[in-house]
Amino acid sequence: MKDFNINRLVRKNILELQPYISFRDLNEFKKPVFLDANESASGELNRYPDSTQKTLKQKLSVLKNVSADQIAVGNGSDELIDLIIKVFCEPKEDAILMMNPSFAMYGFYASVNANSILLLDLDENFEIDKSKFLRMANEKQPKVFFLCSPNNPTGNSVEDIEFYIRNFNGIVVVDEAYIEFSDKKSCIDLLEKYPNLIVLQTFSKAWGMAGVRVGAAYSSKEIITLINTVKAPYNVNSLSLNRISEAIDRKDLVEQNVKNTLAEMCWLNHELQRLKSIKKIHPSDANFFLVEFEDVEKVYLKLFENEILTSKRSPKIPGCIRINAGSREENIRLIETLKTIA
Ligand SMILES: *Cc1c(COP(=O)(O)O)cnc(C)c1O
């Protein structure tokens, strides 16, 4: 990783771009009169939000123990996935690499940006075959590798993540959407070691704030500057910024939520195992199980008829449905319904 030059990986037109930053967000004022943005003088939400998201980044900086200029904030981590592709992948030329099966949004945004998708098929235990990875990484030279750990929809974590960061001649994005549920360490600790690493986290899962739409990227100062350059200036609204800042101040609530969810996962695992209709419960480091059923179509339909919505992964993952832990009441309804299936 010596002599790493980020500019080699960045799209040329992006390198030439100047970021749009609101002048007022770059300065401190004592008693300002804002007549610069054609806003209304009155109204509860009359002002544009802080385009630099300063307050939230300071809180995240303390929470995650990284410098504030190593953080980018997005309208969900989904937006950050799109922005990362926009920074590095030349439309119609470059490719992304992603695990298969994994989170569909990597492929979706690659397609939207006219980039091709290389699928790295996981083995029967949903693990990465290292030699297959090396072959695909070297032959096709994809620009960005999306590595999801714990992986959605399989639930397991990727072992030896550093191997993939070290042996990839481009940007490695480690998506840690479910890291709070896992006992594995976050890759944020590896940022100093690897200049090609981006870590994604979200407030949509363990933090219980999917409706607020906020995610964060942690990386080198250079990569974060590039992401901030391509983002829409006011990509996260003031209501959302405030709600997330408040949630960080009460992070004991999140820890409690994670504890409850893990207790429900434990209960679900126990109850699911006793059901005859089940073939296999895949081990999970997240807040969901990938479950293989004897007759997946029958099970999915039965649950659906009872207005219990789950995520059918069959036929792509044969026989499998992804089911996340709900409240105890919801989980009981799931199990009781499953019990009615012969
Ligand atoms: C749910 C999820 C996200 C979260 O996306 P947001 O846009 O932040 O809601 C990101 N990555 C993975 C793998 C997920 O499962």
Side-chain angles (χ1 to χ4, degrees):
M1 288 292 153
K2 268 194 296 173
D3 308 323
F4 180 79
N5 179 8
I6 186 71
N7 290 353
R8 169 181 67 83
L9 296 169
V10 181
R11 283 169 63 197
K12 289 217 169 44
N13 63 314
I14 304 289
L15 275 180
E16 288 158 12
L17 260 177
Q18 289 302 313
Y20 177 93
I21 300 177
S22 165
F23 181 74
R24 62 166 90 145
D25 295 331
L26 293 175
N27 294 273
E28 298 270 352
F29 303 100
K30 279 191 214 68
K31 203 167 179 296
V33 174
F34 289 131
L35 305 177
D36 59 329
N38 298 351
E39 297 155 337
S40 168
S42 62
E44 203 188 336
L45 291 162
N46 59 329
R47 300 297 176 194
Y48 280 104
D50 173 11
S51 62
T52 64
Q53 299 136 348
K54 212 180 301 117
T55 309
L56 177 54
K57 283 179 188 170
Q58 268 154 13
K59 284 181 189 290
L60 285 173
S61 163
V62 174
L63 185 71
K64 301 293 173 180
N65 195 25
V66 290
S67 153
D69 56 15
Q70 290 187 269
I71 307 170
V73 178
N75 197 280
S77 42
D78 262 39
E79 185 192 23
L80 295 163
I81 293 167
D82 184 37
L83 294 177
I84 290 165
I85 294 174
K86 285 200 160 74
V87 167
F88 296 106
C89 298
E90 204 64 67
K92 299 185 180 171
E93 282 178 28
D94 289 328
I96 66 143
L97 178 66
M98 62 178 282
M99 298 148 62
N100 183 40
S102 189
F103 189 46
M105 287 300 128
Y106 313 134
F108 171 78
Y109 285 113
S111 299
V112 169
N113 288 298
N115 298 112
S116 49
I117 304 153
L118 301 174
L119 295 176
L120 177 57
D121 291 329
L122 303 178
D123 69 14
E124 65 279 9
N125 297 317
F126 300 130
E127 278 162 17
I128 301 176
D129 176 337
K130 281 183 175 162
S131 57
K132 197 182 278 180
F133 161 79
L134 289 175
R135 203 172 339 114
M136 292 187 88
N138 291 320
E139 272 174 24
K140 306 260 171 83
Q141 294 284 322
K143 276 281 186 70
V144 182
F145 176 31
F146 287 95
L147 188 161
C148 189
S149 182
N151 188 27
N152 176 7
T154 59
N156 60 320
S157 301
V158 174
E159 301 294 332
D160 200 6
I161 290 182
E162 281 191 69
F163 174 88
Y164 305 99
I165 308 172
R166 248 187 284 121
N167 290 289
F168 192 71
N169 194 19
I171 302 296
V172 177
V173 179
V174 179
D175 187 340
E176 297 185 338
Y178 300 95
I179 193 74
E180 292 93 339
F181 301 109
S182 143
D183 55 13
K184 302 283 191 306
K185 277 185 76 171
S186 166
C187 285
I188 289 178
D189 296 340
L190 298 175
L191 286 177
E192 280 193 36
K193 207 164 158 190
Y194 299 109
N196 63 334
L197 172 63
I198 302 175
V199 179
L200 289 184
Q201 292 188 355
T202 178
F203 287 90
S204 297
K205 307 289 156 65
W207 289 76
M209 302 183 83
V212 175
R213 306 304 302 128
V214 172
Y218 303 87
S219 188
S220 70
K221 194 169 164 276
E222 290 73 21
I223 290 177
I224 292 303
T225 302
L226 288 160
I227 293 174
N228 285 332
T229 300
V230 300
K231 81 174 180 69
Y234 306 112
N235 61 328
V236 183
N237 69 72
S238 13
L239 293 175
S240 294
L241 289 173
N242 291 341
R243 287 300 280 270
I244 298 293
S245 288
E246 285 165 19
I248 295 172
D249 290 339
R250 306 255 8 232
K251 72 171 162 55
D252 51 308
L253 294 180
V254 182
E255 284 154 17
Q256 194 53 50
N257 185 37
V258 168
K259 244 184 225 161
N260 293 346
T261 306
L262 292 178
E264 289 309 314
M265 285 292 284
C266 206
W267 185 87
L268 260 184
N269 191 19
H270 179 80
E271 293 295 317
L272 286 169
Q273 266 179 33
R274 298 165 12 149
L275 299 172
K276 278 196 284 294
S277 55
I278 280 180
K279 257 171 103 171
K280 180 166 186 181
I281 306 165
H282 290 279
S284 173
D285 287 335
N287 64 341
F288 58 83
F289 285 111
L290 185 69
V291 187
E292 188 180 347
F293 291 92
E294 295 286 352
D295 187 344
V296 66
E297 297 300 329
K298 190 162 119 188
V299 170
Y300 180 76
L301 203 65
K302 184 82 183 177
L303 291 175
F304 187 80
E305 282 166 2
N306 283 273
E307 301 195 342
I308 299 172
L309 305 194
T310 57
S311 178
K312 184 154 73 87
R313 295 291 138 162
S314 198
K316 208 181 149 195
I317 313 177
C320 283
I321 299 178
R322 192 196 65 199
I323 307 173
N324 70 264
S327 65
R328 177 58 59 93
E329 243 171 279
E330 292 168 337
N331 297 336
I332 288 174
R333 202 167 124 191
L334 168 78
I335 296 295
E336 291 309 313
T337 308
L338 287 173
K339 277 181 185 165
T340 65
I341 299 167

